[in-house]
């Protein structure tokens, strides 16, 4: 695939990546650093929302897809050596770091003593457990449309919002059937056919199993940060399974309500009796 001239001018490293620094649009503060490949940078330019590449998961990730803390991109700059990107962004929620802080650069080297020491100088604005428990946004294309989730105040509002997200996702999946394969991840899946969609369902299911195994091996009392990260990873991978399963249903023009109705039908039924009736 031939890259457009503006992408070809960039010096990606041997892994096809370039470091990207996100800087606050108003204050100029550095919020975070992540990696981009050519596809992530192209999507960022097209959607004007930050899209990065996860080296650990070897896949694209839209900033805020799990937390709702998306980044609207106002400006993209390339340094003189063409090997570093700077994004000028508005950070949704004012939180860029997974620790619940404004910036990932919250530690400062204290040189006042005999031995330099790192000290934490930024406070946590929101508990990470609350950030990632409040909502799990599943669809990259929803992020493209700048859809963000809101914190739930009670179980009833949570149920209503989740239903709304599914309905919005149904609409997006239906619309993407008419989209150019190069303009949307979902459209590219449709273009590759049902087998590719089912392959992704299987792939994401395997990754969710691995994440569950990793989470099961964590001990919250020993390492809270590792525990929270593993918990979030499991939620993230299950969201991927749900999403790709919905893409598979949409292939057959089946909306999420059909599954919800089936689950509703099973309420009050013994699981054993329900299986026996099949």
């Amino acid at each position: 695939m031939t890259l457009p001239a503006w992408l070809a001018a960039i010096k990606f490293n041997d892994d096809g990546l370039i470091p990207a620094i996100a800087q606050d649009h108003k204050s100029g503060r550095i919020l975070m650093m992540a990696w981009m490949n050519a596809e992530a940078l192209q999507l960022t330019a097209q959607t004007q929302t930050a899209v990065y590449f996860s080296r650990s998961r070897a896949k694209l990730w839209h900033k805020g897809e799990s937390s709702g803390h998306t980044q609207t991109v106002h400006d993209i700059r390339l340094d003189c050596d063409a090997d570093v990107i700077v994004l000028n962004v508005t950070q949704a929620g004012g939180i860029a770091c997974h620790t619940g802080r404004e910036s990932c650069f919250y530690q400062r080297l204290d040189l006042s003593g005999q031995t330099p020491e790192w000290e934490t100088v930024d406070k946590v604005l929101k508990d990470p457990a609350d950030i990632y428990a409040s909502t799990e946004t599943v669809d990259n294309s929803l992020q493209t449309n700048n859809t963000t989730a809101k914190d739930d105040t009670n179980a009833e509002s949570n149920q209503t919002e989740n239903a709304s997200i599914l309905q919005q996702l149904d609409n997006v999946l239906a619309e993407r059937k008419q989209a150019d394969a190069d303009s949307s991840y979902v459209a590219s899946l449709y273009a590759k056919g049902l087998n590719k969609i089912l392959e992704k369902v299987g792939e994401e299911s395997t990754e969710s199993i691995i994440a569950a195994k990793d989470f099961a091996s964590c001990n919250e009392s020993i390492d809270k940060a590792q525990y929270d990260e593993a918990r979030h990873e499991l939620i993230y991978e299950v969201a991927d399974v749900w999403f790709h399963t919905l893409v598979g249903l949409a292939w057959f023009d089946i909306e999420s309500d059909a599954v919800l109705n089936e689950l509703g039908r099973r309420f009050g039924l013994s699981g054993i009796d329900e299986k026996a009736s099949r």
Side-chain angles (χ1 to χ4, degrees):
M1 177 180 176
T2 303
L3 295 177
W6 69 273
L7 272 176
I10 294 173
K11 295 179 182 177
F12 294 97
N13 66 17
D14 291 341
D15 295 321
L17 303 174
I18 186 172
I21 299 167
Q23 183 179 36
D24 185 83
H25 177 56
K26 291 184 178 180
S27 69
R29 184 178 186 188
I30 295 174
L31 300 178
M32 59 174 282
M33 175 268 169
W35 295 90
M36 288 183 167
N37 61 6
E39 184 181 5
L41 184 52
Q42 190 165 28
L43 283 171
T44 298
Q46 289 175 349
T47 66
Q48 296 184 320
T49 57
V51 181
Y52 300 105
F53 182 83
S54 170
R55 293 179 298 171
S56 62
R57 294 191 298 268
K59 62 195 294 187
L60 298 179
W61 63 280
H62 287 63
K63 174 63 178 173
E65 63 189 10
S66 298
S67 65
H69 297 155
T70 54
Q71 291 176 346
T72 301
V73 178
H74 301 279
D75 193 29
I76 302 175
R77 299 206 175 202
L78 182 65
D79 80 323
C80 57
D81 293 323
D83 58 4
V84 177
I85 290 289
V86 173
L87 307 179
N88 194 263
V89 307
T90 293
Q91 176 65 62
I95 297 174
C97 184
H98 75 283
T99 65
R101 293 176 171 88
E102 176 190 9
S103 169
C104 293
F105 298 92
Y106 59 83
Q107 297 180 88
R108 172 181 169 272
L109 189 60
D110 183 2
L111 299 174
S112 61
Q114 292 183 342
T115 304
E117 292 183 356
W118 290 107
E119 61 175 349
T120 298
V121 294
D122 289 3
K123 65 180 181 180
V124 173
L125 302 179
K126 190 172 183 179
D127 189 323
D130 293 333
I131 293 174
Y132 296 110
S134 63
T135 179
E136 267 57 63
T137 308
V138 297
D139 177 30
N140 289 347
S141 60
L142 287 180
Q143 295 295 340
T144 299
N145 290 333
N146 295 322
T147 300
T148 57
K150 301 177 181 177
D151 291 340
D152 304 317
T153 56
N154 53 52
E156 183 177 357
S157 65
N158 183 44
Q159 186 177 19
T160 301
E161 182 170 319
N162 287 342
S164 175
I165 289 173
L166 287 175
Q167 289 166 2
Q168 291 178 57
L169 185 50
D170 284 338
N171 292 335
V172 169
L173 295 180
E175 291 170 1
R176 292 300 186 266
K177 287 189 173 183
Q178 310 302 322
D180 188 331
D182 293 330
S183 68
S184 158
Y185 171 69
V186 175
S188 71
L189 285 179
Y190 287 142
K192 292 172 184 175
L194 180 60
N195 284 345
K196 182 61 178 179
I197 295 172
L198 298 179
E199 177 185 317
K200 289 297 296 181
V201 173
E203 176 186 315
E204 300 299 346
S205 297
T206 300
E207 290 181 4
S208 70
I209 291 171
I210 294 171
K213 291 286 189 180
D214 290 342
F215 185 38
S217 67
C218 291
N219 189 320
E220 184 175 12
S221 62
I222 295 177
D223 191 331
K224 181 68 162 58
Q226 184 183 22
Y227 178 90
D228 289 342
E229 183 178 353
R231 178 182 181 277
H232 167 59
E233 185 67 16
L234 174 57
I235 294 170
Y236 181 95
E237 295 299 345
V238 171
D240 273 351
V241 176
W242 287 13
F243 170 68
H244 288 91
T245 301
L246 288 172
V247 175
L249 288 175
W251 174 272
F252 298 105
D253 296 323
I254 299 173
E255 296 185 345
S256 58
D257 278 351
V259 179
L260 293 176
N261 290 338
E262 173 58 22
L263 290 173
R265 183 188 68 81
R266 298 182 187 184
F267 269 106
L269 292 177
S270 161
I272 296 175
D273 291 342
E274 197 279 328
K275 282 185 175 292
S277 67
R278 296 184 186 181

